[in-house]
Each structure stands twice: as C-alpha cells, then as structure tokens.
Amino acid sequence: SGEIKIGLIGCGGRGSGAADQALSSGNYNFKLHAMGDAHQDRLEGSLKNLSTKHKDQVDVGERKFVGLDAYEKVIAECDMVILATPPGFRPYHFEAAVNAGKNVFMEKPVATDAPGVRKVLEMGKVAEQKGLKVVAGLQRRYQKCYREAYKQVKENNLIGDIVGGQMYWNDAGVWVKDRLEGMTEMQYQLLNWYYFVWLCGDHINEQHIHNMDIANWFIGSNPVSAQGMGGRQVRTGKQFGEIYDHHTVEFTYANGVRINSQCRHQKGCYSQVREEL
C-alpha cells in the first residue's frame, strides 16, 4: 500500500519507454525515484520527457547518476529496478539488484554470452529463494493475441502436434550514430552498442530472440542443436562494428521438431517479423 520507488538503469529509448509504461499502469503509488546512465544527455532528456508526462510521479531530485557505476547508486535508492542498458551489462546489474534484495524488470536479452547466461540463471535461483519478483521483456508472452493463440494450440489442440515452423525478423535494420570529435572508443561503442557483439550479442540474440521465444514457448522446450550461416553483405563499413546483417539457422528440438529461422537487416528486401508453426 506504500509508495514504490522505481529506479531506471539505462535511460535510452527502451528504458525510457519501460519507465513510461510503469508510470502509465494506473498504480499511482509508483514513483520514479532514481536514474542512471553512461551518458549525461540521455539521462537528462529522458528525465525531461518523463517529468512532462508524469509530473506527479517523477521525484528524482539529485538522484541522477552518470557513469558505468551508476547502476550501483540507483539500486541503493529504490525498491524496484528497470534494467535497460545494453545487454552486455545485464547479468552483472541483475546480480547487484538481487543481492540488494530488489525486484527487477529487465529487458531482453538477459546476456550476450554463455558466462552471462549462467550468471542470470544462478541469480534467478537466488531471487526465487529471496521471494523477489523478476520479469524479462519478452513481451509476446503478455500479448493478448499470442496468449489466445497459445490457448487454441495447447489447450484446444487446434493444429494437433507441432511438427515444424518458420521464424522471421527481416527488416531494414536499426540506427547508427556518428562518431563525435573527441569521443573515446568506449564511448563510441556504448553509443552504438547494437553493432558490437560484447554489448549486443548480435541480431539473433537482440531482436530475433522474440520469435525464437515463441517457438520455445509453444513447443515447450529449448533446442538441443543448431546449424546455420550468416555474414555481412551490405553492412561492411567500420561504423557497423562487427555484427552480421543476415542469418539463417535451423534449430532442432529433442522431439525432432525443426524450426527454420531467418533474420536480416538489409534495406529494400523482403520484410516481415512473424512466427509460423
């Protein structure tokens, strides 16, 4: 019944959107209480926009923290944290939040490499033991049309057993930001985090994970093997870091079901984001 103090860690578009959604939920005990980001301008811009839209629910004051250690300071000030930085940092921010006894909403993906995934799994068990609530941003699980489709397929047996499927995230791609004069390599990579594997995990991990989550959800398990191919055909410049611009992968499940997946960032090509089982 008391005020719930929300801390926002990562004040870019997705983090600001998640904070806006929390404050728009109709629970007026929610207050945005602290904010942290690696970039001062991102934090200030987010704070201005959220304060304009949710005047009575934003009470950040001096609790604005900038730098790679900002997450520690935000966690100390709040009851619940929104983790929305580039996902390369997510496992360690999650660890700090759980150790501090805070409830968590964290954006997908939750990690960019195997050690990070193991860290999240480990801390998920700790969170459960502590009675903390943790939600990840795989939003299709909460979308009415998907939930109804799941009911029709799993409860009403609409199509019988799933024997295969296609998953697509093919579109024109995302932003790229110019390198500014005097910017360090670290600052540049943080600003263009999508293009660096240690921060993003590449296109399958960062975006196509939504589609693959649908396959796993409806099939009821995770793949046991995968084989595929990918490369850089159009995004070959240095400004595009090191990620691929196209992938195709065949995922095989223990029951023999195969899911073929495509994800591509190329302008002027066949574009669709959907799942078919």
Side-chain angles (χ1 to χ4, degrees), residues 87-107:
F89 298 111
R90 190 96 68 245
Y92 312 101
H93 293 176
F94 181 49
E95 179 180 40
V98 171
N99 283 338
K102 306 304 168 83
N103 298 296
V104 176
F105 172 81
M106 57 179 173
E107 260 307 337

Side-chain angles (χ1 to χ4, degrees), residues 94-103 122-134:
F94 181 49
E95 179 180 40
V98 171
N99 283 338
K102 306 304 168 83
N103 298 296
E122 172 195 346
M123 297 312 300
K125 292 177 182 177
V126 175
E128 191 171 14
Q129 292 166 0
K130 289 188 171 188
L132 301 174
K133 303 305 178 186
V134 179

Side-chain angles (χ1 to χ4, degrees), residues 141-183:
R141 300 254 181 165
Y142 307 93
Q143 194 168 329
K144 290 181 180 179
C145 63
Y146 281 94
R147 293 171 73 90
E148 178 61 25
Y150 184 84
K151 178 181 177 181
Q152 293 293 335
V153 170
K154 303 302 285 187
E155 295 181 19
N156 298 339
N157 200 33
L158 184 68
I159 62 172
D161 294 336
I162 294 171
V163 296
Q166 297 286 145
M167 306 289 137
Y168 304 95
W169 194 302
N170 295 332
D171 63 15
V174 298
W175 40 260
V176 60
K177 297 180 173 65
D178 294 333
R179 186 187 294 268
L180 303 178
E181 185 176 353
M183 185 175 279

Side-chain angles (χ1 to χ4, degrees), residues 126-260:
V126 175
E128 191 171 14
Q129 292 166 0
K130 289 188 171 188
L132 301 174
K133 303 305 178 186
V134 179
V135 175
L138 291 164
Q139 78 268 16
R140 281 164 167 77
R141 300 254 181 165
Y142 307 93
Q143 194 168 329
K144 290 181 180 179
C145 63
Y146 281 94
R147 293 171 73 90
E148 178 61 25
Y150 184 84
K151 178 181 177 181
Q152 293 293 335
V153 170
K154 303 302 285 187
E155 295 181 19
N156 298 339
N157 200 33
L158 184 68
I159 62 172
D161 294 336
I162 294 171
V163 296
Q166 297 286 145
M167 306 289 137
Y168 304 95
W169 194 302
N170 295 332
D171 63 15
V174 298
W175 40 260
V176 60
K177 297 180 173 65
D178 294 333
R179 186 187 294 268
L180 303 178
E181 185 176 353
M183 185 175 279
T184 67
E185 182 63 25
M186 176 63 82
Q187 288 172 326
Y188 177 75
Q189 290 196 19
L190 289 176
L191 194 62
N192 283 283
W193 61 270
Y194 198 98
Y195 296 98
F196 297 93
V197 173
W198 73 278
L199 284 167
C200 163
D202 214 323
H203 186 182
I204 295 177
N205 189 53
E206 215 292 317
Q207 285 185 321
H208 195 42
I209 189 173
H210 285 296
N211 312 109
M212 292 311 305
D213 182 54
I214 291 301
N216 294 346
W217 182 25
F218 276 66
I219 293 169
S221 62
N222 298 324
V224 294
S225 66
Q227 66 85 21
M229 63 188 79
R232 288 163 66 96
Q233 186 176 17
V234 299
R235 288 197 303 212
T236 57
K238 188 176 181 181
Q239 73 271 30
F240 299 116
E242 60 204 1
I243 70 168
Y244 285 6
D245 58 28
H246 65 280
H247 309 80
T248 180
V249 183
E250 177 189 74
F251 293 94
T252 302
Y253 292 74
N255 60 0
V257 172
R258 288 180 180 169
I259 297 293
N260 288 298

